[in-house]
Amino acid sequence: MTDLDAFIAKLPKAELHIHVEGSLEPEMMLALARRNGVALPYASVESVQAAYCFTQLQDFLDLYYQGMSVLIEEQDFYDLAMAYLRRAAAQNVRHCEIFFDPQGHMDRGIPFRTVIDGLWRARCDGERELGITGGLIMCFLRHLDEASAERTLDEALPWRERLIGVGLDSSEKGHPPSKFQRVFARARNLGLPTVAHAGEEGPAAYVREALDLLGVRRIDHGNRALDDPTLIARLVAEKIPLTVCPLSNLRLCVVPDLEEHPLRRMLQAGLMATVNSDDPAYFGGYVTENYLAVQRALDLTRDEIVTLARNSFQAAFCDKSVKQGHLAALDAFLAE
Ligand code: ADE
Ligand code: ZN
């Protein structure tokens, strides 16, 4: 381990792009399948891992939806989120904004309440026991229609105060942000900040649509924005953060290898890039492993690493006082 590796491990950070269902480790998947009597096509951790061979986003999503079928009870959602938060705390993540996909559960007959109760209890215990701030971002599945997203938002209304935002994920190609204009407008009218996956596999035009039609305050991934110089200039001028996920990009073949990853180009262009894990149980690493891998591949400097961590707090959806506290803790760490 180099000095820079040790520095990265200890560095206070925020994680803004993590799908809680994507933190389902094979061990927990098999244990919950047994606990809940759910049949899976795998007999061992090794056979689960052997299936994790993806050439595009959809290959992963097929396994991701199959994997989440083991989540049935409130306790399952709690255990999943708490396991993630414990790992995050061990990596000096101080603030987490956690995505969840209610339609992936409600469509299997799991009530919204079961999902939100388990995740919320973990979020509160995470703050009390681990000191991690943050909250839950409810995502709509873009391969489903807008009416389904509208019904999901209706279901969420009683728990509006448990949400810090609304997002858009799942199969990007052929499902432009424009499909969800009305439901995003309604979410914004409820005071919920919005984000969307865009420019992961889809074109730069989808990033533009997410800004213009969904009013998003951050872009999840955003790699393909680099194809469009006018869009880059706009993202820089408007200080729109990008939640970048290097190991995800590698595993889903968004980049051919990490040496070609656009993260350094993003920083050099003045974009507010952050580093995140996306679906750590499926892509081979939590947030620290993402920093380590991309640092090594691009030979990022200590200053660039600090910029990424500072950006992660700057881009967070939290009260000014919470944000100032995290930034002060980062500065104190750097002064040590
Ligand atoms: N859902 C979980 N991970 C995702 C990703 N990387 N892109 C789109 N949808 C997702
Ligand atoms: Zn994602």
Short mmCIF file of all heavy atoms in Angstrom, two decimals, residues 34 43 55 60 73 80 95 102 105 110 113 136 164 169 184 246 254 271 282 313 323:
data_model
loop_
_atom_site.label_atom_id
_atom_site.label_comp_id
_atom_site.label_asym_id
_atom_site.label_seq_id
_atom_site.Cartn_x
_atom_site.Cartn_y
_atom_site.Cartn_z
N ARG A 34 -32.46 -18.24 1.65
CA ARG A 34 -32.79 -19.34 2.59
C ARG A 34 -33.82 -18.88 3.61
O ARG A 34 -34.83 -19.54 3.83
CB ARG A 34 -31.52 -19.78 3.33
CG ARG A 34 -30.87 -21.02 2.76
CD ARG A 34 -29.83 -21.62 3.72
NE ARG A 34 -28.89 -20.64 4.23
CZ ARG A 34 -27.79 -20.24 3.59
NH1 ARG A 34 -27.49 -20.72 2.40
NH2 ARG A 34 -26.97 -19.34 4.13
N ALA A 43 -26.08 -22.08 -6.16
CA ALA A 43 -25.92 -22.91 -4.96
C ALA A 43 -24.81 -22.38 -4.05
O ALA A 43 -24.73 -22.76 -2.89
CB ALA A 43 -25.62 -24.35 -5.37
N THR A 55 -21.45 -7.43 -20.48
CA THR A 55 -20.90 -6.68 -21.62
C THR A 55 -21.63 -5.36 -21.82
O THR A 55 -21.20 -4.53 -22.62
CB THR A 55 -20.96 -7.48 -22.93
OG1 THR A 55 -22.32 -7.80 -23.20
CG2 THR A 55 -20.16 -8.77 -22.83
N PHE A 60 -26.22 -6.63 -16.60
CA PHE A 60 -26.19 -6.43 -15.15
C PHE A 60 -27.60 -6.29 -14.59
O PHE A 60 -27.94 -6.92 -13.59
CB PHE A 60 -25.34 -5.20 -14.80
CG PHE A 60 -25.73 -4.56 -13.51
CD1 PHE A 60 -25.44 -5.20 -12.30
CD2 PHE A 60 -26.43 -3.36 -13.47
CE1 PHE A 60 -25.84 -4.64 -11.09
CE2 PHE A 60 -26.82 -2.80 -12.28
CZ PHE A 60 -26.53 -3.44 -11.07
N GLU A 73 -38.94 -8.93 3.67
CA GLU A 73 -39.41 -8.35 4.94
C GLU A 73 -38.72 -7.01 5.22
O GLU A 73 -37.62 -6.76 4.72
CB GLU A 73 -39.11 -9.31 6.10
CG GLU A 73 -39.60 -10.73 5.91
CD GLU A 73 -41.11 -10.85 6.01
OE1 GLU A 73 -41.78 -9.89 6.46
OE2 GLU A 73 -41.63 -11.91 5.59
N LEU A 80 -29.84 -5.04 4.76
CA LEU A 80 -29.11 -4.67 3.55
C LEU A 80 -28.49 -3.28 3.69
O LEU A 80 -27.29 -3.08 3.47
CB LEU A 80 -30.08 -4.70 2.36
CG LEU A 80 -29.52 -4.24 1.01
CD1 LEU A 80 -28.46 -5.21 0.51
CD2 LEU A 80 -30.65 -4.09 -0.02
N HIS A 95 -21.07 10.78 4.73
CA HIS A 95 -22.40 11.20 4.26
C HIS A 95 -22.77 10.30 3.08
O HIS A 95 -21.96 10.15 2.16
CB HIS A 95 -22.34 12.68 3.85
CG HIS A 95 -23.62 13.21 3.30
ND1 HIS A 95 -24.59 13.80 4.11
CD2 HIS A 95 -24.13 13.22 2.04
CE1 HIS A 95 -25.62 14.17 3.35
NE2 HIS A 95 -25.37 13.82 2.10
N PRO A 102 -38.17 1.40 -5.62
CA PRO A 102 -39.41 0.80 -5.07
C PRO A 102 -40.17 -0.05 -6.08
O PRO A 102 -40.77 -1.06 -5.70
CB PRO A 102 -40.24 2.01 -4.61
CG PRO A 102 -39.59 3.20 -5.19
CD PRO A 102 -38.17 2.86 -5.47
N HIS A 105 -39.63 -3.69 -6.14
CA HIS A 105 -40.19 -4.44 -5.01
C HIS A 105 -41.71 -4.48 -5.07
O HIS A 105 -42.32 -5.53 -4.91
CB HIS A 105 -39.71 -3.81 -3.70
CG HIS A 105 -38.23 -3.58 -3.68
ND1 HIS A 105 -37.32 -4.62 -3.82
CD2 HIS A 105 -37.48 -2.45 -3.61
CE1 HIS A 105 -36.09 -4.13 -3.81
NE2 HIS A 105 -36.16 -2.82 -3.69
N ILE A 110 -44.33 -6.50 -2.77
CA ILE A 110 -43.81 -5.98 -1.49
C ILE A 110 -44.36 -4.57 -1.31
O ILE A 110 -44.15 -3.72 -2.18
CB ILE A 110 -42.26 -5.94 -1.49
CG1 ILE A 110 -41.65 -7.24 -1.98
CG2 ILE A 110 -41.73 -5.53 -0.11
CD1 ILE A 110 -41.95 -8.46 -1.15
N ARG A 113 -44.41 0.48 2.06
CA ARG A 113 -44.15 0.71 3.48
C ARG A 113 -43.04 -0.20 4.02
O ARG A 113 -42.20 0.23 4.83
CB ARG A 113 -45.45 0.47 4.26
CG ARG A 113 -45.23 0.44 5.71
CD ARG A 113 -46.48 0.33 6.55
NE ARG A 113 -46.24 1.19 7.69
CZ ARG A 113 -47.08 2.05 8.19
NH1 ARG A 113 -48.28 2.17 7.67
NH2 ARG A 113 -46.76 2.80 9.21
N LEU A 136 -32.36 9.13 1.75
CA LEU A 136 -32.84 8.19 0.73
C LEU A 136 -33.33 8.95 -0.51
O LEU A 136 -34.08 9.92 -0.40
CB LEU A 136 -34.00 7.37 1.30
CG LEU A 136 -33.68 6.56 2.56
CD1 LEU A 136 -34.95 5.95 3.16
CD2 LEU A 136 -32.65 5.47 2.25
N ILE A 164 -34.94 12.52 0.42
CA ILE A 164 -34.19 13.75 0.15
C ILE A 164 -34.13 14.04 -1.34
O ILE A 164 -33.55 15.05 -1.75
CB ILE A 164 -32.75 13.68 0.71
CG1 ILE A 164 -31.97 12.51 0.10
CG2 ILE A 164 -32.76 13.59 2.23
CD1 ILE A 164 -30.47 12.61 0.29
N ASP A 169 -33.39 5.67 -12.97
CA ASP A 169 -32.34 4.69 -13.29
C ASP A 169 -32.90 3.57 -14.16
O ASP A 169 -33.98 3.69 -14.71
CB ASP A 169 -31.67 4.17 -11.99
CG ASP A 169 -32.63 3.44 -11.08
OD1 ASP A 169 -33.79 3.22 -11.45
OD2 ASP A 169 -32.20 3.07 -9.97
N PHE A 184 -41.57 14.12 -12.80
CA PHE A 184 -40.46 14.88 -12.19
C PHE A 184 -40.92 16.28 -11.79
O PHE A 184 -40.49 16.80 -10.76
CB PHE A 184 -39.25 14.93 -13.13
CG PHE A 184 -38.26 13.82 -12.86
CD1 PHE A 184 -38.60 12.50 -13.06
CD2 PHE A 184 -36.99 14.09 -12.37
CE1 PHE A 184 -37.71 11.46 -12.79
CE2 PHE A 184 -36.08 13.07 -12.09
CZ PHE A 184 -36.44 11.76 -12.30
N PRO A 246 -16.31 4.69 -11.51
CA PRO A 246 -15.29 4.09 -12.37
C PRO A 246 -15.39 2.56 -12.51
O PRO A 246 -15.33 2.05 -13.64
CB PRO A 246 -13.98 4.51 -11.68
CG PRO A 246 -14.32 5.76 -10.94
CD PRO A 246 -15.73 5.58 -10.48
N VAL A 254 -18.58 0.53 -20.30
CA VAL A 254 -18.77 1.93 -20.70
C VAL A 254 -17.41 2.51 -21.11
O VAL A 254 -17.32 3.39 -21.96
CB VAL A 254 -19.42 2.73 -19.54
CG1 VAL A 254 -19.37 4.22 -19.76
CG2 VAL A 254 -20.86 2.26 -19.33
N LEU A 271 -15.29 20.32 -14.51
CA LEU A 271 -16.56 19.71 -14.09
C LEU A 271 -16.47 19.28 -12.63
O LEU A 271 -15.42 18.86 -12.15
CB LEU A 271 -16.88 18.50 -14.97
CG LEU A 271 -17.27 18.83 -16.40
CD1 LEU A 271 -17.11 17.61 -17.31
CD2 LEU A 271 -18.72 19.33 -16.45
N TYR A 282 -21.74 -5.87 -7.05
CA TYR A 282 -21.69 -6.44 -8.40
C TYR A 282 -20.45 -6.01 -9.18
O TYR A 282 -20.09 -6.66 -10.16
CB TYR A 282 -22.93 -6.00 -9.19
CG TYR A 282 -24.22 -6.64 -8.71
CD1 TYR A 282 -24.96 -6.10 -7.68
CD2 TYR A 282 -24.70 -7.81 -9.31
CE1 TYR A 282 -26.15 -6.69 -7.24
CE2 TYR A 282 -25.88 -8.41 -8.90
CZ TYR A 282 -26.61 -7.84 -7.86
OH TYR A 282 -27.77 -8.43 -7.44
N PHE A 313 -18.76 16.37 -0.98
CA PHE A 313 -19.52 17.09 0.06
C PHE A 313 -20.24 18.31 -0.54
O PHE A 313 -21.38 18.59 -0.20
CB PHE A 313 -18.60 17.52 1.20
CG PHE A 313 -18.06 16.36 2.00
CD1 PHE A 313 -16.70 16.09 2.05
CD2 PHE A 313 -18.93 15.53 2.71
CE1 PHE A 313 -16.21 15.01 2.78
CE2 PHE A 313 -18.44 14.45 3.45
CZ PHE A 313 -17.07 14.19 3.48
N LYS A 323 -23.27 20.46 5.72
CA LYS A 323 -22.23 20.51 4.69
C LYS A 323 -20.97 21.21 5.21
O LYS A 323 -19.85 20.72 5.03
CB LYS A 323 -22.79 21.24 3.46
CG LYS A 323 -21.93 21.13 2.24
CD LYS A 323 -22.58 21.76 1.01
CE LYS A 323 -23.77 20.97 0.51
NZ LYS A 323 -24.13 21.33 -0.88
#
